[in-house]
Amino acid sequence: LLTQAPVLDQPSRTQLRIALLESSFMQSPELGTRVARRLLLQTPECLALWNTLAKMHARVGDWSSARKVWANAVVRAQEMLEAERVWKIVLCKSWFMLEATHGWGLAAAVELLACVAGGDSSAIQKFLEAKSADTTQTSIHKGDTTQTRIVLADIERAQQLVADCTGTHCADPDEVHLAILTLRMWLAYAAHMDPHAADSIHDQSPLTKFPALSALAICSIHLHHARTRRVHCTSDLRARVHRALLADPHTTPLWEMLFACTASRGSELTHARLVATVLAAHPADTLPDVRMLAVYFALRKSVNHNYASHVRYLLRLATRNGSSQSLYMWMAYIAFEHKFGTTGRAKRVLLAALRVCPWAKSLYLLALGGQLASEFSAQESQALVRAMVRAGIRTRLSLACITTLSA
């Protein structure tokens, strides 16, 4: 595909390579590694590709390979032209955030930036070897509560690294500006262990072009503080996330943060109120990501009548009281009623969905051969088949099903 698309400009070709690498890793890490090797042979100077490879290794839990890739990319960046070298700060931001939130912890992430600031590849290698050999080093998943002392000199050196990249011209200024703002906020938090220090930087220099991404960065700091300090349901975090969702409801990690910061027992009504205000604040053509509902359902282990009525209310808002054409939202509504309500309710929701989405093949299949097939009479099934024919929808039905419908 890359060889057959010569008309694409360089940024588009880079995005295509990144998408190819990510999709390969989703199939298997082995395939992703082979694809990455071929892509990097073609464009070894593409730091975005190196960064994606490292993040994919980290995502599947191969931290050793991820750190080696990041270290190699940082060294390569030192040898590039200044316009390309400044993209190193994006590498540092990705490595820093994943190390702080999922790897060796915040103290190790700050020390890492200090090593990168020195510009000595041997210092980075010594840092990795020392951390790997330290048997007392714990992962953030194993309870790193940021009690490890952060050296002030490391913070200052890391801040100098960020300052050196500020104002530098590059080919992708938006990505670089986001990385600089994110690292400034995290380093301010590390210096004071107070998320309000990061708040002041965020409020003074908001990233107007990507407000959702800058909001996600500051909310990540609040969530990290809540988790590592063992403080749950913090009002600051909840307020930050809620404001960000009101501005942009399409960012799924923000929904996950919202549920994480109100994950205490008996918080169903809090969830319902917060989600309802976000849903009600946006018109039908700007529905939030449907995955937020999936996360919302998954977090609830027990269901009572009161809770079910609140979820039903949210789903009615999400489907705009029967006027929405969001197929995924309708499918979520049908699945909820089938699992927690009655099949009769699920059938009524399905018919309402068909009135506004007569082109949706999956809705017909639910009625004709899916979990709700038993709720439809032979006459109703025949009517649905005729509607499919009028809509030009084709499907493969078994001989037994055809005999039943024609009877």
Side-chain angles (χ1 to χ4, degrees):
L1 182 60
L2 284 168
T3 57
Q4 294 175 357
V7 296
L8 292 177
D9 55 13
Q10 189 58 38
S12 299
R13 292 174 68 84
T14 299
Q15 291 300 319
L16 186 58
R17 291 188 180 96
I18 290 174
L20 177 60
L21 179 57
E22 290 176 342
S23 61
S24 301
F25 256 93
M26 289 178 185
Q27 296 183 46
S28 73
E30 293 77 15
L31 175 62
T33 302
R34 292 198 301 269
V35 171
R37 190 177 296 115
R38 293 186 61 181
L39 292 175
L40 288 170
L41 281 174
Q42 298 172 9
T43 55
E45 75 286 350
C46 182
L47 295 181
L49 202 57
W50 286 100
N51 193 37
T52 302
L53 175 60
K55 289 192 290 185
M56 297 306 294
H57 276 305
R59 183 178 298 179
V60 299
D62 188 1
W63 278 94
S64 177
S65 298
R67 289 169 180 133
K68 288 178 181 177
V69 171
W70 267 316
N72 184 29
V74 168
V75 173
R76 283 178 175 271
Q78 302 281 31
E79 303 169 355
M80 295 181 178
L81 299 175
E82 183 179 357
E84 298 173 347
R85 191 192 318 143
V86 72
W87 214 87
K88 179 180 69 172
I89 200 67
V90 181
L91 290 171
C92 294
K93 185 264 292 185
S94 298
W95 194 357
F96 177 93
M97 288 193 63
L98 284 173
E99 202 70 76
T101 56
H102 298 287
W104 284 328
L106 182 58
V110 172
E111 185 179 352
L112 166 68
L113 277 188
C115 293
V116 174
D120 185 2
S121 59
S122 61
I124 302 175
Q125 189 61 35
K126 289 178 182 177
F127 164 79
L128 295 176
E129 292 174 355
K131 290 296 181 183
S132 300
D134 187 359
T135 57
T136 63
Q137 180 69 41
T138 58
S139 168
I140 195 75
H141 295 299
K142 298 178 182 178
D144 177 10
T145 56
T146 65
Q147 300 302 317
T148 306
R149 181 172 175 268
I150 300 178
V151 180
L152 181 59
D154 288 343
I155 295 178
E156 293 174 348
R157 292 170 64 191
Q159 289 173 334
Q160 186 59 47
L161 170 68
V162 176
D164 291 341
C165 296
T166 304
T168 307
H169 297 287
C170 61
D172 193 0
D174 297 324
E175 189 83 16
V176 172
H177 292 164
L178 175 62
I180 291 172
L181 176 61
T182 301
L183 286 176
R184 286 182 60 209
M185 291 189 295
W186 272 96
L187 291 173
Y189 167 71
H192 301 89
M193 280 301 161
D194 182 359
H196 291 98
D199 286 340
S200 62
I201 293 179
H202 176 268
D203 296 338
Q204 291 171 7
S205 54
L207 196 66
T208 55
K209 191 169 183 179
F210 299 107
L213 295 179
S214 60
L216 182 60
I218 188 62
C219 290
S220 299
I221 295 174
H222 279 270
L223 181 60
H224 177 80
H225 182 76
R227 285 176 170 172
T228 56
R229 294 292 173 171
R230 301 294 188 260
V231 180
H232 297 286
C233 296
T234 56
S235 58
D236 289 342
L237 172 59
R238 187 165 59 247
R240 274 280 181 187
V241 175
H242 193 219
R243 285 201 301 271
L245 283 171
L246 285 173
D248 187 351
H250 298 277
T251 308
T252 303
L254 287 174
W255 287 104
E256 295 170 349
M257 287 184 187
L258 177 65
F259 302 130
C261 68
T262 55
S264 63
R265 189 175 181 180
S267 60
E268 289 85 357
L269 295 180
T270 303
H271 281 153
R273 284 194 296 268
L274 293 173
V275 177
T277 55
V278 174
L279 288 172
H282 293 274
D285 58 345
T286 58
L287 282 172
D289 196 321
V290 71
R291 284 178 291 177
M292 72 91 181
L293 284 175
V295 174
Y296 182 65
F297 298 148
L299 285 173
R300 305 277 63 82
K301 296 181 180 179
S302 62
V303 177
N304 54 47
H305 178 71
N306 189 32
Y307 163 67
S309 65
H310 279 287
V311 175
R312 190 170 288 116
Y313 165 68
L314 297 179
L315 287 164
R316 281 200 299 269
L317 277 177
T319 55
R320 301 297 160 185
N321 292 318
S323 63
S324 171
Q325 292 189 343
S326 172
L327 177 60
Y328 294 111
M329 203 65 77
W330 279 113
M331 295 294 283
Y333 198 173
I334 295 168
F336 175 80
E337 292 294 2
H338 184 263
K339 185 173 182 179
F340 299 120
T342 63
T343 52
R345 279 181 179 272
K347 177 184 176 180
R348 288 195 294 272
V349 174
L350 174 58
L351 291 174
L354 281 170
R355 282 193 289 272
V356 294
C357 303
W359 42 263
K361 178 179 178 180
S362 55
L363 293 175
Y364 291 101
L365 295 182
L366 271 179
L368 295 175
Q371 298 172 328
L372 298 178
S374 60
E375 290 295 309
F376 289 84
S377 65
Q379 291 78 10
E380 289 173 327
S381 297
Q382 290 172 6
L384 287 174
V385 171
R386 288 194 293 271
M388 289 180 66
V389 172
R390 287 195 300 270
I393 299 174
R394 297 182 178 183
T395 186
R396 296 180 180 179
L397 297 176
S398 65
L399 182 61
C401 183
I402 295 174
T403 304
T404 302
L405 293 177
S406 60

